[in-house]
């Protein structure tokens, strides 16, 4: 299965490598660099690269490439999914996953990789189990370790791996038992020039932070479960119970995890909370282009809309933007040509607006169409 | 530092060495110093030494042997974790000399009582196999034993080892097939993927093709309307259902819940299982789940889209309802956009083509050149696949000809050329317009296309064509090769249809080509000259070839059929690496075709038929309450059964009646639990909101728990557990102090923190006897099977009690 893993930073240095079977020279990454050079952006690198003897399967997360090397047939999604799980675990351990963090904690990283994969096959990937095997670093423990000379490798056996509930360790105890549920819903919509919705869908997640003692068995029911078009669950959820009663019944892992994600598709009507009135013209002549965008609320059921961010990927010929906003701040990155306007809260009485001029590179070919606008 | 006595110093040194290893620097000269520390008491040092050993043992074989005895000792350690890690490292050391030792260790570990160690043993099998292929037979024996294992932890790894060592020994699976199916939902995600892939192959070799009877209905699947298809299938299903082998049905049914897994790899492997083995009417069930994966990471999207693109060429109807999910977002990466376009065009039908074309129109205005080009090609494909819209598409493309972007114009020219070939009738204006473009278009591909078009249909534009040729002759030397070739073709064709005006020009062009740098051009020029102007070479009138010249050059050419380039991927298993790269990868196992005659299904019957058959449902039938129960018993696991989760009390009573006398206390308690469950099963009402753009944390929703109820239940349970005669652990962890923040819980607070298995293990630590104590309850606790509850009648197994 997975033979080796190389972690590559944006400048193209292999700063960590790990081999689970025999050692593969890092020169195999040259094939990857070839593709990297060809691709215009990191996202454009194909996730699977076939080389004469190896197959490179890579994911791009937090501006690092995780390149797994395989030699034989393997389900590519298997590897991709595993690499993402590795990054998730790092994020879980170090709260963020950057190059410097990985370099700083290389020992923990190496131990983690060693536990997660045996001979190229995943061994323990549940963070509850891993945390028992290898304690996540924190400042307090680091100090304690240096004083007492203790290690951050646990000497006790991971009971969860062996129990019937592989995602939860036994003997959890809290003085305050509490459980938090976050519901996150994302509306994805494609809206055409005239403002009518081409397609819209909702993607929702339920993230939990559960701090309960013992082996709690929870059940969660919904007022209207029929709304869900499609759902996916954490392995702790009992499929059968959901199928028969539409009740989520589960023994949660300890700590943070994503309980379920659901999808409400294009069949049901999706209300879009904001509308955008825009006028944007980019011309070659004289002062360049003009931009005028107004945002407004729409079908919000009386709620205020907060944290609105507007992103416009500008065409290559745009040099700079001189804009004035009546609310929020805007930034324009001349390298990526991305205009970001952080609006914040939408006030119904005074609709946020951004207007101004855009300077274009002289001599560049005129832009045919207006760029699309992403609102989030 | 490594020689120091202090663990701290050693640890620090080891950390630095590992740092070097991680960065890929050479650290092998430290081997002797490091290997000494394998005996270190400090677990972290030990662990790091292991990591180092695995990395460098191959290079320093002799020295590595020094460490072997340590591992052998560790293999007998009472702590299962140490046993497992010793085996892991031992088998990872790639030194041929230790093969017999590893073999022995694997055999021991495969009979170990800890499932974790057995799992490690399963992992070690392929390692040893890759080290020494001669051990295969012996390894298969061990593997066979492991495949019989009923622990969810082990089977995934065992099947993985099976795939690597002896994928051809499908006979080993027979007896385990039903067990694998029933345990499938509870195996860890990675094991699920491997098992499903293996079972797909198994199904292909053991079951007959469920679609065999309706081979003649292949046309049916191409029928445009989804509803029709459905109706047909429903009718069909009735006829077909009984023909499906019950085991085949079991496999499909047990895999289905996994479509809701969070792991994309699992979902896709179920999808391919359905794609390759399910009756046609059931395949569409997987579409929804595959669409969901499109919301995942970019890499996942890419692979899933590739699979969908391949599927969509054959099963259009499957993804038609989800057409809009394939609309391109501006934030998608280019290769994802291209895949989506591919799918959109494959899915286009008369009814949906309108929407698709409208989308494509928008895409043409995008800022991503390869994407725009693909969009224009997609329009071309739609146009040629669906006759009704050809004209509209053509008009649209022609309007693109006036686009300011060179690339767009060039691409549309090429596509129009292809389209015109399919129906050359009466498109004179378009050809004229294209001819005008010769002056402005610079992209060679497009110029060549225009020239070809003019040559082919020169009789429709008799005035323009010679003129264009004149212009091209002038600039001939500065053109690209591909254009030059087309100029020659044009010249020859015109020369044949209109020799009066163009013969001289043609000669001129050929003369120029004769002295071109490119040898292809020179060859072509010579070849053409001899056909058209044979007099140059020999005197004596037109040869036979030149008489036929008109037929040769002006023969009607078949129009190209734009096809999806995903069409030829059918030969590979969906979702496999070979499928993705469209070449056979190393170690790819071909999917066998369905056998015409199903092999004897009896092979799957296990000798101890009643037991195994009944055990499978037993695992799954034990659910919530039995899980709780198990914590009240200590190591003696009494696997009394319960009906389904949604038990009704009458069922329950029946069960209990059948139960033996000695478990009457269990029964009481069980009932208590059930009552509690029903009464206090707290339900949190989460108001579903349809639209919310931002995250809204909801906290502490579960405060409304009725406290008195909780107290009752816990006190009851406490008394229950006290009454248990053999409860070796004080099980009633008082839960009452946490009264004010009662979470959503049933009577579980009373559980003792240790599961029965842990108790087992604790016992084991005292005396490391390798008695094969197997707890039959290890398996599928959590997720229930899709076995209908009627089948899950209550079975009692007092004999399994240890």
């Amino acid at each position: 299965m997975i033979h080796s893993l190389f972690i590559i930073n944006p400048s193209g240095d292999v700063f960590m490598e790990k081999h689970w079977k025999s050692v593969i020279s890092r020169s195999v990454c040259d094939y990857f660099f070839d593709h990297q050079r060809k691709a215009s952006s990191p996202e454009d690198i194909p996730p699977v690269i076939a080389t004469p003897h190896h197959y490179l399967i890579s994911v791009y997360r937090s501006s690092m490439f995780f390149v797994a090397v395989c030699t034989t047939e393997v389900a590519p999604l298997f590897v991709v999914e595993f690499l993402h799980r590795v990054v998730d675990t790092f994020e879980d351990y170090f709260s963020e996953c950057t190059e410097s963090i990985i370099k700083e904690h290389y020992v923990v990283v190496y131990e983690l990789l060693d536990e997660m994969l045996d001979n190229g096959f995943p061994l323990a990937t549940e963070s509850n189990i891993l945390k028992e095997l290898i304690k996540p670093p924190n400042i307090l423990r680091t100090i304690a370790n240096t004083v007492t000379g203790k290690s951050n490798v646990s000497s006790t056996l991971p009971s969860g791996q062996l129990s019937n509930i592989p995602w939860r360790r036994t003997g959890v105890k809290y003085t305050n038992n509490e459980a938090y549920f976050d519901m996150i819903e994302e509306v994805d919509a494609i809206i055409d020039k005239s403002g009518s919705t081409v397609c819209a869908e909702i993607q929702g997640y339920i993230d939990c932070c559960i701090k309960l003692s013992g082996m709690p068995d929870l059940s969660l029911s919904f007022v209207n479960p029929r709304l869900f078009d499609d759902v996916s669950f954490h392995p702790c959820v009992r499929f059968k119970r959901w199928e028969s009663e539409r009740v989520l019944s589960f023994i949660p892992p300890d700590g943070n995890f994503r309980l379920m994600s659901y999808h409400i598709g294009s069949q049901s009507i999706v209300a879009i909370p904001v509308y955008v009135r825009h006028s944007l013209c980019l011309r070659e002549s004289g002062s360049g282009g003009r931009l005028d965008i107004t945002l407004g609320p729409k079908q919000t059921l009386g709620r205020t809309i907060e944290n609105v961010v507007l992103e416009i990927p500008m065409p290559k010929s745009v040099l700079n933007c001189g804009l004035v906003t009546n609310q929020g701040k805007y930034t324009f990155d001349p390298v990526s040509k991305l205009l970001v306007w952080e609006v914040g809260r939408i006030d119904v009485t005074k609709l946020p607006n951004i207007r101004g001029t855009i300077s274009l590179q002289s001599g560049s070919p005129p832009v045919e169409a207006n760029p699309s606008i992403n609102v989030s | 530092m490594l020689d120091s006595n202090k663990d701290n110093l050693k640890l620090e040194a080891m950390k630095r060495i590992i740092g070097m290893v991680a960065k890929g620097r050479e650290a092998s000269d430290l081997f002797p110093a490091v290997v000494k520390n394998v005996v270190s008491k400090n677990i972290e040092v030990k662990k790091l030494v292991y990591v180092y050993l695995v990395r460098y043992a191959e290079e320093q074989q002799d020295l590595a042997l020094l460490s072997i005895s340590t591992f052998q000792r560790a293999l007998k350690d009472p702590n299962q974790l140490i046993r497992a890690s010793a085996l892991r490292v031992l088998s990872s050391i790639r030194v041929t000399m230790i093969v017999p030792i590893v073999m022995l260790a694997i055999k021991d570990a495969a009979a170990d009582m800890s499932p974790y160690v057995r799992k490690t043993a399963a992992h070690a099998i392929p390692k040893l196999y890759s080290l020494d292929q001669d051990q295969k037979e012996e390894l298969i024996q061990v593997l066979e034993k492991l495949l019989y294992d009923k622990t969810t932890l082990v089977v995934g790894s065992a099947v993985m080892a099976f795939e690597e060592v002896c994928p051809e020994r499908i006979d080993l699976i027979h007896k385990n097939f039903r067990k694998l199916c029933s345990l499938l939902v509870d195996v860890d995600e990675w094991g699920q993927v491997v098992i499903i892939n293996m079972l797909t192959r198994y199904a292909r070799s053991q079951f007959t093709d469920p679609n065999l009877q309706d081979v003649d209905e292949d046309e049916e699947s191409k029928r445009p309307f989804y509803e029709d298809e459905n109706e047909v299938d429903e009718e069909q299903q009735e006829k077909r259902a009984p023909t499906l082998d019950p085991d085949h049905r079991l496999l499909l049914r047990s895999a289905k819940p996994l479509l809701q897994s969070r792991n994309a790899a699992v979902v896709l492997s179920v999808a391919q299982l359905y794609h390759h083995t399910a009756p046609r009417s059931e395949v569409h069930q997987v579409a929804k789940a595959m669409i969901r994966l499109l919301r995942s990471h970019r890499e996942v999207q890419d692979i899933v889209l590739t699979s969908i693109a391949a599927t969509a060429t054959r099963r259009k109807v499957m993804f038609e309802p989800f057409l809009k999910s394939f609309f391109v977002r501006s934030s998608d990466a280019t290769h994802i956009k291209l895949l989506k376009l591919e799918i959109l065009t494959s899915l286009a039908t008369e009814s949906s083509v309108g929407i698709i074309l409208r989308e494509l129109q928008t895409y043409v205005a995008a800022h991503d050149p390869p994407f725009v080009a693909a969009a224009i090609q997609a329009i071309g494909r739609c146009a040629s696949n669906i006759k009704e819209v050809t004209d509209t598409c053509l008009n649209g493309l022609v309007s693109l000809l006036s686009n300011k972007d060179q690339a767009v114009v060039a691409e549309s020219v090429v596509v129009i050329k292809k389209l015109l070939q399919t129906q050359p009738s009466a498109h004179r204006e378009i050809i004229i317009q294209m001819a005008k473009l010769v002056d402005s278009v610079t992209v060679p591909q497009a110029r060549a296309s225009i020239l070809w078009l003019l040559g082919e249909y020169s009789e429709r534009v008799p005035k323009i064509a010679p003129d264009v040729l004149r212009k091209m002759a002038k600039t001939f030397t500065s053109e690209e090769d591909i254009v030059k070739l087309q100029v020659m073709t044009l010249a020859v064709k015109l020369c044949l249809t209109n020799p009066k005006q163009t013969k001289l020009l043609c000669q001129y062009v050929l003369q120029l080509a004769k002295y071109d740098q490119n040898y292809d051009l020179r060859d072509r020029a010579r070849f053409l000259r001899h056909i058209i102007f044979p007099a140059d070479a020999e005197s004596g009138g037109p040869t036979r070839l030149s008489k036929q010249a008109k037929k040769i050059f002006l023969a009607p050419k078949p129009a190209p059929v734009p096809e999806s380039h995903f069409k030829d991927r059918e030969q590979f298993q969906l979702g496999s690496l070979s499928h993705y790269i469209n070449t056979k990868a190393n170690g790819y196992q071909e999917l066998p075709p369905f056998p015409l005659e199903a092999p004897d299904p009896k092979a799957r019957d296990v000798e101890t038929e009643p037991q195994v058959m009944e055990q499978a449902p037993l695992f799954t039938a034990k659910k919530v309450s039995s899980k709780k129960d198990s914590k009240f018993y200590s190591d003696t696991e009494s696997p009394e059964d319960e009906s389904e989760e949604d038990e009704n009390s009458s069922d329950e009573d029946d069960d209990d009646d059948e139960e033996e006398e000695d478990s009457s206390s269990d029964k009481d308690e069980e009932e208590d639990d059930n009552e509690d469950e029903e009464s206090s099963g707290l339900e949190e009402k989460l108001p579903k909101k349809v639209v919310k753009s931002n995250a809204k944390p909801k906290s502490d929703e579960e405060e409304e728990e009725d406290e008195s109820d909780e107290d009752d239940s816990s006190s009851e349970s406490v008394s229950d557990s006290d009454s248990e005669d053999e409860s070796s652990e004080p099980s009633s962890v008082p839960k009452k102090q946490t009264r004010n923040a009662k979470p959503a819980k049933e009577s579980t607070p009373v559980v003792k923190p240790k599961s029965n298995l842990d108790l087992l293990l604790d016992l084991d630590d005292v005396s490391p006897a390798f008695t094969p104590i197997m707890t039959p309850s290890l398996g599928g606790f959590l997720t229930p099977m899709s076995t209908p509850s009627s089948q899950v009648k209550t079975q009692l197994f007092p004999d399994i009690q240890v």
Side-chain angles (χ1 to χ4, degrees), chain A residues 124-136:
Chain A
T125 50
E126 286 295 336
S127 80
N128 265 223
I129 304 299
L130 284 170
K131 281 191 174 151
E132 262 184 276
L133 288 166
I134 301 152
K135 294 270 183 292

Side-chain angles (χ1 to χ4, degrees), chain B residues 70 91 148 153 229 243 280 296 300 332 352 357-358 429 465 468 482 506 539 554 584 601 682:
Chain B
T70 324
S91 54
Y148 272 117
L153 204 57
E229 170 76 3
T243 64
R280 188 170 294 131
S296 187
V300 177
D332 287 337
S352 60
L357 281 180
R358 232 188 63 176
E429 306 78 40
V468 173
I482 182 173
C506 179
S539 51
L554 295 177
K584 201 169 168 192
L682 176 87

Side-chain angles (χ1 to χ4, degrees), chain A residues 249-268:
Chain A
S249 153
F250 57 98
I251 296 180
D254 193 34
N256 295 313
F257 69 104
R258 171 157 296 172
L259 178 65
M260 73 179 280
S261 57
Y262 56 88
H263 182 247
I264 297 173
S266 35
Q267 277 84 0
S268 26

